[in-house]
Amino acid sequence: MTELIDSFDKQLSAMPVVAILRGVQPDEIEAIGEAIIAAGITILEVPLNSPDPFKSIEIMARCFAGRAIVGAGTVLNTADVARCKDTGSQLIVSPNMRPDVIKAAVAGGMLSTPGCLTPSEAFDALDAGAHAIKLFPGELVPPAGVKAMRAVLPSEAKMLVVGGVTTENLPTYRQAGATGFGIGGSIYQAGDSAAAVSAKAKAFAQLLS
């Protein structure tokens, strides 16, 4: 687990983006993932409300082992945490903050990034063992809100802004203290070709390099 945490920290420091592949199909996940990794983004997430998500995560875990951290998003309960572990998922991302989900992920040797909107949720998530805080929906947490939360949370706490982040507003969020970003539609939308995803991923990578 220590090795996974260290890898997560290093990858997030080198390129602070989690690519959210909502809607991806298993038969395209390898090509899409390769395009994103080639652009320099090495943390990938398939939300569980995608078509056959466990199959996609299993393919990613097999194909990208040692090159990327792969995980599941929109994980709402402990049963799905267990299923994600069986696929080889290394990261559990949720839109909400449930201590039982966080603890199940940690007990399973996986990283946990729960969704939080308030300082109370963020502190409770960290107390439950979360490795990073997902500030979600990002549209409801402007840069001023990120700055205010950064002022009270532990300095080592990682805060990822997810939702509404674009190449235009990302620098402002980063200046406010965001550790990283979960990027969905601005990198991948269902039906995008690998070439289209590559171009969008490179735009974020160049902005953050």
Side-chain angles (χ1 to χ4, degrees):
M1 186 63 180
T2 300
E3 184 178 346
L4 177 59
I5 293 172
D6 288 345
S7 178
F8 180 70
D9 290 349
K10 289 176 182 177
Q11 292 187 48
L12 200 60
S13 177
M15 181 53 61
V17 171
V18 178
I20 303 170
L21 309 181
R22 190 180 307 279
V24 70
Q25 300 275 355
D27 63 359
E28 63 180 350
I29 186 64
E30 185 174 357
I32 296 296
E34 288 285 3
I36 293 170
I37 293 170
I41 297 171
T42 56
I43 306 176
L44 288 73
E45 164 200 336
V46 174
L48 295 190
N49 55 0
S50 301
D52 203 355
F54 298 105
K55 182 64 175 177
S56 290
I57 296 167
E58 183 180 11
I59 293 170
M60 286 201 305
R62 183 178 68 250
C63 294
F64 307 144
R67 295 194 290 145
I69 290 176
V70 302
T74 319
V75 182
L76 304 178
N77 55 62
T78 56
D80 280 343
V81 171
R83 289 192 68 185
C84 290
K85 180 181 179 180
D86 289 342
T87 66
S89 179
Q90 300 165 291
L91 171 67
I92 298 295
V93 183
S94 302
N96 57 345
M97 199 292 290
R98 284 186 52 176
D100 61 333
V101 171
I102 297 170
K103 292 176 181 178
V106 174
M110 295 174 284
L111 301 162
S112 173
T113 304
C116 301
L117 192 60
T118 67
S120 294
E121 289 181 331
F123 277 108
D124 287 347
L126 293 172
D127 287 345
H131 299 95
I133 299 302
K134 169 184 172 179
L135 295 178
F136 177 81
E139 293 90 341
L140 298 182
V141 189
V146 172
K147 184 177 181 179
M149 291 184 72
R150 173 55 74 197
V152 297
L153 289 175
S155 59
E156 69 274 14
K158 298 174 183 60
M159 299 191 306
L160 310 180
V161 180
V162 182
V165 178
T166 66
T167 53
E168 286 74 28
N169 62 19
L170 185 150
T172 305
Y173 273 112
R174 202 176 190 191
Q175 291 170 5
T179 309
F181 309 89
I183 310 295
S186 294
I187 286 181
Y188 173 81
Q189 294 188 37
D192 278 353
S193 67
V197 170
S198 175
K200 290 191 287 184
K202 286 178 180 177
F204 279 97
Q206 289 169 2
L207 181 66
L208 290 162
S209 61

Coordinates of all heavy atoms in Angstrom, one line a residue, residues 12-105:
L12 N 0.8 12.3 -9.4 CA 0.0 13.5 -9.2 C 0.9 14.7 -9.2 O 0.5 15.8 -9.7 CB -0.8 13.4 -8.0 CG -2.1 14.3 -7.8 CD1 -3.1 14.0 -9.0 CD2 -2.7 14.1 -6.5
S13 N 2.0 14.6 -8.6 CA 3.0 15.8 -8.6 C 3.5 16.1 -10.0 O 3.6 17.2 -10.4 CB 4.1 15.5 -7.7 OG 5.1 16.5 -7.7
A14 N 3.8 15.0 -10.8 CA 4.3 15.2 -12.1 C 3.3 15.7 -13.1 O 3.6 16.5 -14.0 CB 4.9 13.9 -12.6
M15 N 2.1 15.2 -13.0 CA 1.0 15.6 -13.9 C -0.3 15.5 -13.1 O -0.9 14.4 -13.0 CB 0.9 14.7 -15.1 CG -0.2 15.0 -16.1 SD -0.2 16.8 -16.6 CE 1.5 16.8 -17.4
P16 N -0.8 16.6 -12.5 CA -1.9 16.6 -11.6 C -3.3 16.5 -12.2 O -4.2 17.3 -12.0 CB -1.7 17.9 -10.8 CG -1.1 18.8 -11.8 CD -0.2 18.0 -12.6
V17 N -3.5 15.4 -13.0 CA -4.7 15.2 -13.7 C -5.2 13.8 -13.5 O -4.4 12.8 -13.7 CB -4.7 15.6 -15.2 CG1 -5.9 15.1 -15.9 CG2 -4.4 17.1 -15.4
V18 N -6.4 13.6 -13.2 CA -7.1 12.3 -13.3 C -8.0 12.3 -14.5 O -8.9 13.1 -14.5 CB -7.9 11.9 -12.0 CG1 -8.6 10.6 -12.1 CG2 -6.9 11.9 -10.8
A19 N -7.8 11.5 -15.5 CA -8.7 11.4 -16.6 C -9.9 10.6 -16.3 O -9.8 9.4 -16.0 CB -7.9 10.9 -17.8
I20 N -11.1 11.2 -16.5 CA -12.3 10.5 -16.1 C -13.0 10.1 -17.5 O -13.4 10.9 -18.3 CB -13.3 11.4 -15.4 CG1 -12.6 11.9 -14.1 CG2 -14.6 10.7 -15.0 CD1 -13.3 13.0 -13.4
L21 N -13.1 8.7 -17.7 CA -13.5 8.2 -18.9 C -15.0 7.7 -18.9 O -15.3 6.6 -19.1 CB -12.6 7.1 -19.4 CG -11.1 7.4 -19.4 CD1 -10.3 6.3 -19.8 CD2 -10.8 8.7 -20.2
R22 N -15.8 8.6 -18.6 CA -17.3 8.3 -18.4 C -17.9 7.9 -19.8 O -17.8 8.7 -20.7 CB -18.0 9.4 -17.8 CG -19.5 9.1 -17.4 CD -20.2 10.2 -16.8 NE -19.5 10.8 -15.7 CZ -19.4 10.3 -14.4 NH1 -20.2 9.2 -14.2 NH2 -18.7 10.9 -13.5
G23 N -18.5 6.8 -19.9 CA -19.1 6.3 -21.1 C -18.2 5.5 -22.0 O -18.7 5.1 -23.1
V24 N -17.0 5.3 -21.6 CA -16.1 4.5 -22.5 C -16.6 3.1 -22.6 O -17.1 2.5 -21.6 CB -14.6 4.6 -21.9 CG1 -14.5 3.8 -20.6 CG2 -13.6 4.2 -23.0
Q25 N -16.3 2.5 -23.7 CA -16.7 1.1 -24.0 C -15.5 0.2 -23.8 O -14.3 0.6 -24.1 CB -17.2 0.9 -25.4 CG -18.4 1.7 -25.8 CD -19.7 1.1 -25.4 OE1 -19.7 -0.1 -24.9 NE2 -20.8 1.8 -25.5
P26 N -15.7 -1.1 -23.4 CA -14.5 -2.0 -23.2 C -13.7 -2.2 -24.5 O -12.5 -2.3 -24.4 CB -15.2 -3.3 -22.7 CG -16.4 -2.8 -22.0 CD -16.9 -1.7 -22.8
D27 N -14.3 -2.2 -25.6 CA -13.6 -2.4 -26.8 C -12.8 -1.2 -27.3 O -12.0 -1.3 -28.3 CB -14.5 -2.9 -28.0 CG -15.6 -1.9 -28.4 OD1 -15.6 -0.8 -27.8 OD2 -16.4 -2.2 -29.3
E28 N -12.9 -0.1 -26.7 CA -12.1 1.1 -27.0 C -11.2 1.6 -25.9 O -10.4 2.5 -26.1 CB -13.0 2.2 -27.5 CG -13.9 2.7 -26.4 CD -14.9 3.9 -26.8 OE1 -14.7 4.4 -27.9 OE2 -15.8 4.2 -26.0
I29 N -11.3 0.9 -24.7 CA -10.6 1.5 -23.6 C -9.1 1.4 -23.7 O -8.4 2.3 -23.3 CB -11.0 0.7 -22.3 CG1 -10.4 1.4 -21.0 CG2 -10.7 -0.8 -22.3 CD1 -10.8 2.8 -20.8
E30 N -8.6 0.4 -24.4 CA -7.1 0.3 -24.5 C -6.6 1.4 -25.4 O -5.6 2.1 -25.1 CB -6.7 -1.1 -25.1 CG -5.2 -1.2 -25.2 CD -4.8 -2.6 -25.6 OE1 -5.7 -3.5 -25.8 OE2 -3.6 -2.8 -25.7
A31 N -7.2 1.7 -26.5 CA -6.8 2.8 -27.4 C -6.9 4.1 -26.8 O -6.0 5.0 -26.9 CB -7.6 2.7 -28.7
I32 N -8.0 4.4 -26.1 CA -8.3 5.6 -25.4 C -7.2 5.8 -24.3 O -6.6 6.9 -24.2 CB -9.7 5.7 -24.9 CG1 -10.7 5.7 -26.0 CG2 -9.9 7.0 -24.0 CD1 -10.7 6.8 -27.0
G33 N -7.0 4.8 -23.5 CA -6.1 4.9 -22.4 C -4.7 5.1 -22.9 O -3.9 5.9 -22.4
E34 N -4.3 4.4 -24.0 CA -2.9 4.6 -24.6 C -2.7 6.0 -25.0 O -1.7 6.6 -24.8 CB -2.7 3.6 -25.7 CG -2.6 2.2 -25.4 CD -1.2 1.9 -24.8 OE1 -0.4 2.8 -24.6 OE2 -1.0 0.7 -24.5
A35 N -3.8 6.6 -25.6 CA -3.6 8.0 -26.1 C -3.4 9.0 -24.9 O -2.6 9.9 -25.0 CB -4.9 8.4 -26.8
I36 N -4.1 8.7 -23.8 CA -4.0 9.6 -22.6 C -2.6 9.4 -22.0 O -2.0 10.4 -21.6 CB -5.2 9.3 -21.7 CG1 -6.5 9.7 -22.3 CG2 -5.0 10.0 -20.3 CD1 -7.7 9.3 -21.5
I37 N -2.2 8.2 -21.8 CA -0.9 7.9 -21.2 C 0.2 8.5 -22.0 O 1.2 9.1 -21.5 CB -0.7 6.4 -21.0 CG1 -1.7 5.9 -19.9 CG2 0.7 6.1 -20.6 CD1 -1.8 4.4 -19.8
A38 N 0.1 8.4 -23.4 CA 1.1 9.0 -24.2 C 1.2 10.5 -24.1 O 2.3 11.1 -24.3 CB 0.8 8.6 -25.7
A39 N 0.1 11.1 -23.7 CA 0.1 12.6 -23.5 C 0.7 13.0 -22.2 O 1.0 14.1 -22.0 CB -1.3 13.1 -23.6
G40 N 1.0 12.0 -21.3 CA 1.6 12.3 -20.1 C 0.7 12.2 -18.8 O 1.1 12.5 -17.7
I41 N -0.6 11.8 -19.1 CA -1.5 11.7 -17.9 C -1.6 10.2 -17.6 O -2.0 9.4 -18.4 CB -2.9 12.3 -18.4 CG1 -2.8 13.8 -18.7 CG2 -3.9 12.0 -17.3 CD1 -4.0 14.4 -19.3
T42 N -1.3 9.9 -16.3 CA -1.1 8.5 -16.0 C -2.0 8.0 -14.8 O -1.7 7.0 -14.2 CB 0.4 8.2 -15.6 OG1 0.8 9.1 -14.6 CG2 1.2 8.4 -16.9
I43 N -3.1 8.8 -14.6 CA -4.1 8.3 -13.6 C -5.4 8.3 -14.3 O -5.8 9.4 -14.8 CB -4.1 9.2 -12.3 CG1 -2.8 9.4 -11.7 CG2 -5.1 8.6 -11.3 CD1 -2.7 10.3 -10.5
L44 N -6.0 7.2 -14.5 CA -7.2 7.0 -15.3 C -8.4 6.4 -14.4 O -8.1 5.5 -13.6 CB -7.0 6.1 -16.5 CG -6.1 6.7 -17.6 CD1 -4.7 6.7 -17.2 CD2 -6.3 5.8 -18.8
E45 N -9.6 6.9 -14.7 CA -10.7 6.4 -13.9 C -11.9 6.1 -14.9 O -12.2 6.9 -15.7 CB -11.1 7.5 -12.9 CG -12.5 7.4 -12.3 CD -13.1 8.7 -11.8 OE1 -12.2 9.6 -11.4 OE2 -14.3 8.8 -11.7
V46 N -12.5 5.0 -14.7 CA -13.7 4.6 -15.4 C -14.9 4.7 -14.4 O -15.0 3.8 -13.5 CB -13.6 3.2 -16.1 CG1 -15.0 2.9 -16.7 CG2 -12.6 3.2 -17.1
P47 N -15.8 5.6 -14.6 CA -17.0 5.6 -13.7 C -17.9 4.4 -13.8 O -18.0 3.8 -14.9 CB -17.8 6.9 -14.1 CG -16.7 7.7 -14.7 CD -15.8 6.8 -15.4
L48 N -18.5 3.9 -12.8 CA -19.2 2.7 -12.8 C -20.6 2.9 -13.5 O -21.3 1.9 -13.7 CB -19.5 2.2 -11.4 CG -18.2 1.7 -10.6 CD1 -18.6 1.0 -9.3 CD2 -17.3 0.8 -11.5
N49 N -21.0 4.1 -13.9 CA -22.2 4.2 -14.7 C -21.8 4.3 -16.2 O -22.6 4.8 -17.0 CB -23.0 5.5 -14.3 CG -22.2 6.8 -14.3 OD1 -21.0 6.8 -14.6 ND2 -22.8 7.9 -13.9
S50 N -20.6 3.8 -16.5 CA -20.3 3.6 -17.9 C -20.7 2.2 -18.4 O -21.0 1.3 -17.5 CB -18.7 3.7 -18.1 OG -18.3 4.9 -17.6
P51 N -20.7 1.9 -19.7 CA -21.1 0.6 -20.2 C -20.1 -0.5 -19.7 O -18.9 -0.3 -20.0 CB -21.1 0.7 -21.7 CG -21.3 2.2 -21.9 CD -20.5 2.9 -20.8
D52 N -20.5 -1.5 -19.0 CA -19.6 -2.6 -18.6 C -18.3 -2.1 -18.0 O -17.2 -2.5 -18.4 CB -19.3 -3.5 -19.8 CG -18.9 -4.9 -19.4 OD1 -18.8 -5.2 -18.2 OD2 -18.7 -5.8 -20.3
P53 N -18.4 -1.3 -16.9 CA -17.2 -0.6 -16.4 C -16.2 -1.6 -15.8 O -15.0 -1.3 -15.9 CB -17.8 0.3 -15.3 CG -19.1 -0.4 -14.9 CD -19.6 -1.0 -16.2
F54 N -16.7 -2.7 -15.2 CA -15.7 -3.6 -14.6 C -14.8 -4.3 -15.6 O -13.7 -4.5 -15.4 CB -16.5 -4.6 -13.7 CG -17.3 -4.0 -12.6 CD1 -18.6 -3.9 -12.7 CD2 -16.6 -3.5 -11.5 CE1 -19.4 -3.3 -11.6 CE2 -17.3 -2.9 -10.4 CZ -18.7 -2.8 -10.5
K55 N -15.4 -4.5 -16.8 CA -14.6 -5.1 -17.9 C -13.5 -4.1 -18.3 O -12.4 -4.4 -18.5 CB -15.5 -5.5 -19.0 CG -14.7 -6.1 -20.2 CD -14.1 -7.4 -19.8 CE -13.4 -8.1 -21.0 NZ -12.7 -9.3 -20.6
S56 N -13.9 -2.8 -18.4 CA -13.0 -1.8 -18.9 C -11.9 -1.6 -17.9 O -10.7 -1.5 -18.2 CB -13.7 -0.4 -19.1 OG -14.6 -0.5 -20.2
I57 N -12.2 -1.6 -16.6 CA -11.2 -1.5 -15.5 C -10.3 -2.7 -15.6 O -9.0 -2.5 -15.4 CB -11.9 -1.3 -14.1 CG1 -12.7 0.0 -14.1 CG2 -10.8 -1.3 -13.0 CD1 -13.6 0.1 -12.9
E58 N -10.8 -3.9 -15.7 CA -10.0 -5.1 -15.8 C -9.0 -5.0 -17.0 O -7.8 -5.3 -16.8 CB -10.9 -6.3 -16.0 CG -10.1 -7.6 -16.0 CD -11.0 -8.8 -16.2 OE1 -12.2 -8.6 -16.5 OE2 -10.6 -9.9 -16.0
I59 N -9.4 -4.5 -18.1 CA -8.6 -4.3 -19.3 C -7.5 -3.3 -19.0 O -6.3 -3.5 -19.3 CB -9.4 -3.9 -20.5 CG1 -10.3 -5.1 -21.0 CG2 -8.4 -3.5 -21.7 CD1 -11.3 -4.7 -22.0
M60 N -7.8 -2.2 -18.4 CA -6.9 -1.2 -18.0 C -5.8 -1.7 -17.1 O -4.6 -1.5 -17.2 CB -7.5 0.1 -17.4 CG -8.3 0.9 -18.4 SD -8.5 2.6 -17.7 CE -9.3 2.3 -16.1
A61 N -6.3 -2.4 -16.1 CA -5.3 -3.0 -15.1 C -4.3 -3.9 -15.7 O -3.2 -3.9 -15.3 CB -6.1 -3.7 -14.0
R62 N -4.8 -4.7 -16.7 CA -3.9 -5.6 -17.3 C -3.0 -4.9 -18.3 O -1.8 -5.2 -18.3 CB -4.7 -6.7 -18.1 CG -3.9 -7.7 -18.8 CD -4.7 -8.8 -19.4 NE -5.5 -8.3 -20.6 CZ -6.8 -8.1 -20.6 NH1 -7.5 -8.3 -19.6 NH2 -7.4 -7.6 -21.7
C63 N -3.5 -4.0 -19.1 CA -2.7 -3.4 -20.2 C -1.8 -2.3 -19.7 O -0.7 -2.1 -20.3 CB -3.7 -2.8 -21.2 SG -4.6 -4.0 -22.1
F64 N -2.2 -1.6 -18.6 CA -1.4 -0.4 -18.2 C -0.6 -0.7 -16.9 O -0.2 0.3 -16.3 CB -2.3 0.8 -18.1 CG -3.1 1.1 -19.3 CD1 -4.4 1.5 -19.2 CD2 -2.6 0.8 -20.6 CE1 -5.2 1.8 -20.3 CE2 -3.4 1.1 -21.7 CZ -4.7 1.6 -21.6
A65 N -0.5 -1.9 -16.5 CA 0.2 -2.2 -15.3 C 1.6 -1.6 -15.3 O 2.4 -1.8 -16.3 CB 0.3 -3.7 -15.1
G66 N 2.0 -0.9 -14.2 CA 3.3 -0.3 -14.1 C 3.4 1.0 -14.9 O 4.5 1.7 -14.7
R67 N 2.4 1.3 -15.7 CA 2.5 2.6 -16.4 C 1.5 3.6 -16.0 O 1.7 4.8 -16.3 CB 2.3 2.3 -17.9 CG 3.4 1.5 -18.6 CD 3.3 1.5 -20.1 NE 2.2 0.8 -20.6 CZ 1.5 1.2 -21.6 NH1 1.8 2.3 -22.3 NH2 0.4 0.5 -22.0
A68 N 0.5 3.2 -15.3 CA -0.6 4.1 -14.9 C -1.3 3.5 -13.7 O -1.3 2.3 -13.4 CB -1.6 4.3 -16.0
I69 N -1.9 4.4 -12.9 CA -2.8 4.0 -11.8 C -4.2 4.0 -12.4 O -4.6 5.0 -13.0 CB -2.7 5.0 -10.6 CG1 -1.4 4.8 -9.9 CG2 -3.8 4.8 -9.7 CD1 -1.1 5.8 -8.8
V70 N -4.9 2.9 -12.3 CA -6.2 2.8 -12.9 C -7.2 2.6 -11.8 O -6.9 2.0 -10.7 CB -6.3 1.6 -13.9 CG1 -5.3 1.8 -15.0 CG2 -6.0 0.3 -13.2
G71 N -8.4 3.2 -12.0 CA -9.4 3.1 -10.9 C -10.8 3.2 -11.4 O -11.1 3.3 -12.6
A72 N -11.7 3.2 -10.4 CA -13.2 3.3 -10.7 C -13.7 4.6 -10.1 O -13.3 5.0 -9.0 CB -13.8 2.1 -10.1
G73 N -14.7 5.1 -10.8 CA -15.4 6.3 -10.2 C -16.9 6.0 -10.0 O -17.4 5.0 -10.4
T74 N -17.5 7.0 -9.4 CA -18.9 6.8 -9.0 C -19.2 5.5 -8.2 O -20.1 4.8 -8.5 CB -19.8 6.9 -10.3 OG1 -19.4 7.9 -11.2 CG2 -21.3 7.2 -9.9
V75 N -18.3 5.2 -7.3 CA -18.4 4.1 -6.4 C -19.2 4.5 -5.2 O -18.8 5.3 -4.4 CB -17.0 3.5 -6.0 CG1 -17.1 2.3 -5.2 CG2 -16.2 3.3 -7.3
L76 N -20.4 3.8 -5.0 CA -21.3 4.3 -4.0 C -21.5 3.4 -2.8 O -22.0 3.8 -1.8 CB -22.7 4.5 -4.7 CG -22.8 5.4 -5.9 CD1 -24.2 5.4 -6.5 CD2 -22.3 6.8 -5.5
N77 N -21.0 2.2 -2.9 CA -21.2 1.2 -1.8 C -20.0 0.2 -1.7 O -19.2 0.1 -2.6 CB -22.5 0.5 -1.9 CG -22.6 -0.2 -3.3 OD1 -21.8 -1.1 -3.6 ND2 -23.6 0.2 -4.1
T78 N -20.0 -0.5 -0.6 CA -18.9 -1.4 -0.3 C -18.9 -2.6 -1.2 O -17.8 -3.2 -1.5 CB -18.9 -1.8 1.2 OG1 -20.2 -2.4 1.5 CG2 -18.7 -0.6 2.1
A79 N -20.1 -3.0 -1.6 CA -20.2 -4.1 -2.6 C -19.4 -3.8 -3.9 O -18.7 -4.6 -4.4 CB -21.6 -4.5 -2.9
D80 N -19.6 -2.6 -4.4 CA -18.9 -2.2 -5.6 C -17.4 -2.0 -5.3 O -16.6 -2.3 -6.2 CB -19.5 -0.9 -6.2 CG -20.8 -1.2 -6.9 OD1 -21.0 -2.3 -7.3 OD2 -21.5 -0.2 -7.2
V81 N -17.0 -1.6 -4.1 CA -15.6 -1.5 -3.8 C -15.0 -2.9 -3.9 O -13.9 -3.1 -4.5 CB -15.4 -1.0 -2.3 CG1 -13.9 -1.2 -1.9 CG2 -15.8 0.4 -2.2
A82 N -15.6 -3.9 -3.5 CA -15.1 -5.3 -3.6 C -15.0 -5.8 -5.0 O -14.0 -6.4 -5.4 CB -16.0 -6.3 -2.8
R83 N -16.0 -5.4 -5.8 CA -16.0 -5.8 -7.2 C -14.8 -5.1 -7.9 O -14.2 -5.7 -8.8 CB -17.3 -5.4 -7.9 CG -18.5 -6.3 -7.5 CD -19.6 -6.1 -8.4 NE -19.4 -6.6 -9.8 CZ -20.2 -6.4 -10.8 NH1 -21.4 -5.8 -10.6 NH2 -19.9 -6.9 -12.0
C84 N -14.6 -3.8 -7.6 CA -13.5 -3.1 -8.2 C -12.2 -3.7 -7.9 O -11.3 -3.8 -8.7 CB -13.6 -1.6 -7.7 SG -14.9 -0.7 -8.4
K85 N -12.0 -4.1 -6.6 CA -10.8 -4.8 -6.2 C -10.5 -6.0 -7.1 O -9.4 -6.3 -7.5 CB -10.8 -5.1 -4.7 CG -9.5 -5.8 -4.3 CD -9.6 -6.2 -2.8 CE -8.3 -6.9 -2.4 NZ -8.3 -7.3 -1.0
D86 N -11.6 -6.8 -7.3 CA -11.4 -8.0 -8.1 C -11.0 -7.7 -9.5 O -10.4 -8.6 -10.2 CB -12.8 -8.8 -8.1 CG -13.1 -9.4 -6.8 OD1 -12.2 -9.5 -5.9 OD2 -14.3 -9.7 -6.6
T87 N -11.3 -6.5 -10.0 CA -10.9 -6.2 -11.4 C -9.4 -5.7 -11.5 O -8.9 -5.5 -12.6 CB -11.8 -5.1 -12.0 OG1 -11.6 -3.9 -11.3 CG2 -13.2 -5.5 -11.9
G88 N -8.8 -5.4 -10.3 CA -7.5 -4.9 -10.3 C -7.4 -3.4 -10.1 O -6.4 -2.7 -10.3
S89 N -8.6 -2.8 -9.8 CA -8.6 -1.3 -9.5 C -7.7 -0.9 -8.4 O -7.6 -1.6 -7.4 CB -10.1 -0.9 -9.2 OG -10.1 0.5 -9.0
Q90 N -7.0 0.2 -8.6 CA -6.1 0.7 -7.5 C -6.7 1.9 -6.9 O -6.1 2.4 -5.9 CB -4.8 1.1 -8.2 CG -4.1 -0.1 -8.8 CD -2.9 0.3 -9.7 OE1 -3.2 1.0 -10.8 NE2 -1.7 0.1 -9.3
L91 N -7.7 2.5 -7.4 CA -8.2 3.8 -7.0 C -9.8 3.7 -6.9 O -10.4 3.3 -7.9 CB -7.8 4.9 -7.9 CG -8.4 6.3 -7.8 CD1 -7.9 6.9 -6.4 CD2 -7.9 7.2 -8.9
I92 N -10.3 4.2 -5.8 CA -11.8 4.3 -5.6 C -12.2 5.7 -5.5 O -11.7 6.4 -4.6 CB -12.2 3.5 -4.4 CG1 -11.9 2.0 -4.5 CG2 -13.7 3.7 -4.2 CD1 -12.6 1.3 -5.7
V93 N -13.0 6.2 -6.4 CA -13.4 7.6 -6.4 C -15.0 7.6 -6.3 O -15.7 6.9 -7.0 CB -13.0 8.3 -7.7 CG1 -13.4 9.8 -7.7 CG2 -11.5 8.2 -8.0
S94 N -15.4 8.5 -5.4 CA -16.9 8.6 -5.2 C -17.3 10.0 -5.3 O -16.6 10.9 -5.1 CB -17.2 8.1 -3.7 OG -16.8 6.7 -3.5
P95 N -18.6 10.2 -5.6 CA -19.2 11.5 -5.7 C -19.6 12.1 -4.4 O -19.9 13.2 -4.2 CB -20.4 11.4 -6.7 CG -20.8 10.0 -6.4 CD -19.6 9.2 -6.1
N96 N -19.6 11.2 -3.4 CA -20.1 11.5 -2.0 C -19.1 11.0 -1.0 O -18.1 10.4 -1.3 CB -21.5 10.9 -1.8 CG -21.5 9.4 -1.9 OD1 -20.6 8.8 -2.5 ND2 -22.5 8.7 -1.4
M97 N -19.4 11.3 0.3 CA -18.4 11.0 1.3 C -19.1 10.0 2.3 O -20.0 10.3 3.1 CB -18.0 12.2 2.1 CG -16.7 12.0 2.9 SD -16.8 10.9 4.4 CE -17.9 11.9 5.4
R98 N -18.7 8.7 2.1 CA -19.2 7.6 3.0 C -18.1 7.0 3.7 O -17.2 6.3 3.0 CB -20.1 6.6 2.2 CG -21.4 7.1 1.9 CD -22.3 6.0 1.2 NE -22.3 4.8 2.0 CZ -23.0 3.7 1.7 NH1 -23.8 3.7 0.6 NH2 -23.0 2.6 2.5
P99 N -17.9 7.1 5.0 CA -16.8 6.5 5.7 C -16.7 5.0 5.4 O -15.5 4.5 5.4 CB -17.1 6.8 7.2 CG -17.9 8.0 7.1 CD -18.8 7.9 5.9
D100 N -17.8 4.3 5.3 CA -17.7 2.8 5.1 C -17.0 2.5 3.8 O -16.3 1.5 3.6 CB -19.0 2.1 5.2 CG -20.1 2.6 4.2 OD1 -20.0 3.8 3.8 OD2 -21.0 1.8 3.9
V101 N -17.3 3.3 2.7 CA -16.7 3.1 1.4 C -15.2 3.4 1.5 O -14.4 2.7 0.9 CB -17.4 4.0 0.4 CG1 -16.7 3.9 -1.0 CG2 -18.9 3.5 0.1
I102 N -14.9 4.5 2.2 CA -13.5 4.9 2.3 C -12.7 3.8 3.0 O -11.6 3.3 2.5 CB -13.3 6.2 3.1 CG1 -14.0 7.4 2.3 CG2 -11.8 6.5 3.4 CD1 -14.1 8.6 3.1
K103 N -13.2 3.3 4.1 CA -12.6 2.3 4.9 C -12.4 1.0 4.2 O -11.4 0.3 4.3 CB -13.3 2.1 6.2 CG -13.2 3.3 7.2 CD -14.0 3.2 8.4 CE -13.8 4.4 9.3 NZ -14.7 4.3 10.6
A104 N -13.5 0.6 3.4 CA -13.4 -0.6 2.6 C -12.3 -0.5 1.5 O -11.6 -1.5 1.3 CB -14.8 -0.9 1.9
A105 N -12.2 0.6 0.9 CA -11.2 0.8 -0.1 C -9.8 0.7 0.5 O -8.9 0.0 0.0 CB -11.3 2.2 -0.8

